[in-house]
Amino acid sequence: MNSATIHSNPISNYPPKLRLFPSNLHNFHRNHYLFAQPNKRMAFLGPLSSKISASGNATASGVDGGSGFQTLREFMGKGGENVRDELVVLFSHLEYACKRIAALVASPFSSNLGEGFSVVAGSDERDKPKPLDIVANEIILSSLKNSGKAAVMASEEDDAPVWLADDGPFVVVLDPLDGSRNIDASIPTGTIFGIYKRLVELDHLPVEERAILNSLQSGSKLIAAGYVLYSSATILCTSFGLGTHAFTLDHSTGDFILTHPNLKIPPRGQIYSVNDARYFDWPKGLKQYIDTVRQGKGRHPKKYSARYICSLVADFHRTLLYGGIAMNPRDHLRLVYEANPLSFLAEQAGGRGSDGKARILSLQPVKLHQRLPLFLGSPDDIDELESYGDIQQKVNPGYDV
């Protein structure tokens, strides 16, 4: 949770206006080549590809039937969510920042970005930020500053929130690079963010107090949230309070394309995601639940499988698509930066976010870096898990990995 000044290549402060292709070639590329060879160009669309014909017509809900595709910016307009202009501007800057992070994560030179960086001595070894954490944090901070729409940015990497603009209408909380410990092994990572309205009733307070109180809003007050998954594809999944939608980055145009409109998590899955090497530190209720479902003796007659990536965004993304539960039963994940935004997305997709006893979005944060157990997933699976009662891990001897 430390910030640093970057002395490497300067960060562009505004989404670029330069197109990747000359205007005539760019239009030809999108309108002709993309649809002339649908089998090659639509593989990344997954289930949606079968609903889009080679002529460019789309039948999926929320997709523009004229062009066959709908970009994130088009979706935020009247064709989709009809998001107000100020939030569109903020989101455009967030979107651009995440494209920069995606490029850095995939770069063969990413391991050298940490030269010249250091962390404060004495900080917890597990929480020492990796170099890319710091770089990602600075990229997003720069973009939010230049948007003019963020009053406060509170980040997992900073000890305190940063006040950006007195007249900024929004508050942004985020984990700039979740799972960064996995980068060297090319395991998926992600960015998590939540957006609140600035509490204008606090404007009379000193800046530091104002920044903290704005950042400690209950998750029930979120107006938008999202994550970006940096993997074989770069996927931005977001909600503005009317459903959860996922967009896939088309690297040829730089656009996020709507590929998963109105995501709905299955009511029940058949996968649990947890580090069960910690089984012997778990409470009785959690052990009983896991033992039961993997034998197929729970409320669902099929035997459950374990899938665990140890990257929260990746584990949650899979759970959102296929159902089941992604969890960390000990007080490890942060309420403000991780639990609230992901629980918001889960609920908007028909799922649930719980600390094992209560709804995540009903909790009032009392500390900026407050930690708690987190259980995300299908509503029927979360209900069954909670019925075992004792599922929060209190024993925490400390783990090196």
Side-chain angles (χ1 to χ4, degrees):
M1 298 186 299
N2 300 277
S3 60
T5 302
I6 295 179
H7 300 290
S8 57
N9 294 333
I11 298 170
S12 175
N13 291 327
Y14 198 80
K17 297 181 180 179
L18 181 66
R19 305 296 297 196
L20 295 177
F21 303 94
S23 58
N24 58 341
L25 179 59
H26 178 75
N27 291 335
F28 173 82
H29 172 79
R30 289 191 66 187
N31 296 332
H32 176 76
Y33 177 75
L34 186 60
F35 302 113
Q37 302 187 46
N39 292 334
K40 293 182 179 179
R41 296 294 296 166
M42 292 185 180
F44 74 96
L45 293 174
L48 185 59
S49 62
S50 62
K51 299 181 181 180
I52 302 178
S53 69
S55 63
N57 296 322
T59 59
S61 174
V63 178
D64 182 358
S67 65
F69 292 92
Q70 190 173 30
T71 68
L72 174 58
R73 295 185 189 185
E74 291 168 344
F75 179 79
M76 289 189 290
K78 293 182 180 180
E81 292 283 296
N82 197 19
V83 177
R84 297 184 64 178
D85 290 348
E86 289 183 323
L87 187 54
V88 171
V89 172
L90 179 75
F91 231 83
S92 295
H93 283 77
L94 268 175
E95 174 190 348
Y96 174 63
C98 291
K99 291 176 188 176
R100 293 294 307 275
I101 295 170
L104 285 175
V105 168
S107 169
F109 308 108
S110 62
S111 61
N112 297 323
L113 290 174
E115 294 180 1
F117 289 94
S118 62
V119 295
V120 176
S123 62
D124 181 35
E125 182 70 26
R126 183 176 180 85
D127 284 338
K128 284 185 178 180
K130 303 298 181 184
L132 278 179
D133 289 341
I134 300 173
V135 176
N137 197 55
E138 294 292 338
I139 288 173
I140 297 176
L141 176 62
S142 177
S143 287
L144 292 181
K145 279 182 179 178
N146 286 279
S147 74
K149 302 302 178 183
V152 186
M153 182 185 104
S155 167
E156 182 179 323
E157 299 302 329
D158 296 326
D159 293 325
V162 179
W163 190 264
L164 300 176
D166 288 342
D167 58 349
F170 303 113
V171 175
V172 181
V173 298
L174 60 97
D175 180 352
L177 196 58
D178 168 73
S180 60
R181 288 153 48 90
N182 294 324
I183 286 177
D184 289 343
S186 298
I187 294 173
T189 55
T191 295
I192 305 171
F193 61 89
I195 302 173
Y196 299 91
K197 290 182 179 178
R198 185 185 94 245
L199 299 174
V200 295
E201 60 269 27
L202 303 178
D203 286 351
H204 65 284
L205 296 175
V207 170
E208 290 185 4
E209 185 178 358
R210 195 190 322 165
I212 291 174
L213 291 177
N214 269 284
S215 303
L216 291 178
Q217 296 187 56
S218 164
S220 61
K221 294 183 179 180
L222 281 164
I223 62 169
Y227 63 79
V228 181
L229 175 67
Y230 310 113
S231 184
S232 55
T234 298
I235 296 176
L236 190 158
C237 183
T238 190
S239 175
F240 300 96
L242 293 172
T244 297
H245 317 275
F247 302 77
T248 302
L249 180 62
D250 181 351
H251 290 281
S252 66
T253 65
D255 293 320
F256 276 104
I257 304 297
L258 180 63
T259 50
H260 298 79
N262 298 310
L263 277 170
K264 295 297 180 185
I265 189 170
R268 180 175 288 279
Q270 200 178 336
I271 297 172
Y272 69 88
S273 177
V274 66
N275 185 356
D276 54 10
R278 314 302 182 204
Y279 178 89
F280 296 102
D281 294 326
W282 288 350
K284 182 179 179 181
L286 184 57
K287 286 181 180 178
Q288 288 180 334
Y289 169 77
I290 294 297
D291 289 343
T292 301
V293 297
R294 62 186 175 190
Q295 293 179 74
K297 296 180 179 179
R299 297 176 185 174
H300 189 47
K302 294 187 177 180
K303 295 180 180 180
Y304 277 48
S305 297
R307 299 285 188 275
Y308 183 60
I309 302 171
C310 193
S311 176
L312 178 58
V313 169
D315 283 316
F316 176 68
H317 181 70
R318 183 196 56 249
T319 303
L320 191 60
L321 295 178
Y322 304 132
I325 301 181
M327 60 179 125
N328 191 324
R330 61 192 176 99
D331 292 331
H332 179 67
L333 298 174
R334 290 171 172 86
L335 173 59
V336 172
Y337 310 113
E338 296 164 320
N340 273 336
L342 296 184
S343 294
F344 182 81
L345 292 169
E347 289 196 5
Q348 289 296 319
R352 289 190 56 199
S354 171
D355 71 348
K357 294 182 178 179
R359 176 186 179 228
I360 291 291
L361 297 185
S362 70
L363 302 177
Q364 175 59 53
V366 295
K367 294 189 299 183
L368 201 59
H369 299 287
Q370 180 176 340
R371 297 174 185 265
L372 79 174
L374 180 60
F375 304 88
L376 297 162
S378 298
D380 292 351
D381 285 308
I382 297 287
D383 288 346
E384 183 175 0
L385 173 62
E386 287 179 336
S387 71
Y388 283 77
D390 185 20
I391 59 174
Q392 293 180 329
Q393 178 183 337
K394 301 302 181 183
V395 177
N396 189 9
Y399 306 113
D400 292 333
V401 179

